[in-house]
């Protein structure tokens, strides 16, 4: 299996702010969001979801993902 090219991302959780963010290497924005959630256990909301913001450190583009802990799926924020 060929691994996707790794990029450097900065990820942080809603409610904690950028000061509690971390740099991660991942193959995509979504993978960085899931990786952040697995490594740092950010706060969960009443719907058993976590909202993660991910910025590409090289390009500056930022995306938001909602991770549903009941099924492990990551979806773009509304």
């Amino acid at each position: 299996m060929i691994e996707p090219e790794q990029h450097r991302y900065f990820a942080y959780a809603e409610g904690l702010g950028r000061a509690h963010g971390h740099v991660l290497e991942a193959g995509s924005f979504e993978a960085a969001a899931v990786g952040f959630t697995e490594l740092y256990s950010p706060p969960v909301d009443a719907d058993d979801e976590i909202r993660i913001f991910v910025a590409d450190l090289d390009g500056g583009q930022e995306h938001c993902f909602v991770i549903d802990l009941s099924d492990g799926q990551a979806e773009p924020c509304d």
Side-chain angles (χ1 to χ4, degrees):
M1 184 169 140
I2 297 174
E3 294 274 332
E5 183 179 345
Q6 298 292 294
H7 298 274
R8 289 174 20 109
Y9 297 97
F10 179 77
Y12 62 97
E14 181 177 70
L16 293 180
R18 294 180 71 86
H20 295 279
H22 295 276
V23 174
L24 301 119
E25 288 192 9
S28 68
F29 284 92
E30 184 176 334
V34 171
F36 177 86
T37 301
E38 291 172 347
L39 290 171
Y40 301 107
S41 303
V44 179
D45 69 13
D47 295 325
D48 207 24
E49 295 177 338
I50 299 170
R51 187 174 299 255
I52 304 294
F53 298 93
V54 181
D56 181 345
L57 289 177
D58 295 323
Q61 190 176 27
E62 185 169 300
H63 293 278
C64 175
F65 295 92
V66 175
I67 299 174
D68 185 337
L69 295 181
S70 63
D71 64 11
Q73 296 297 310
E75 301 288 332
C77 296
D78 292 331

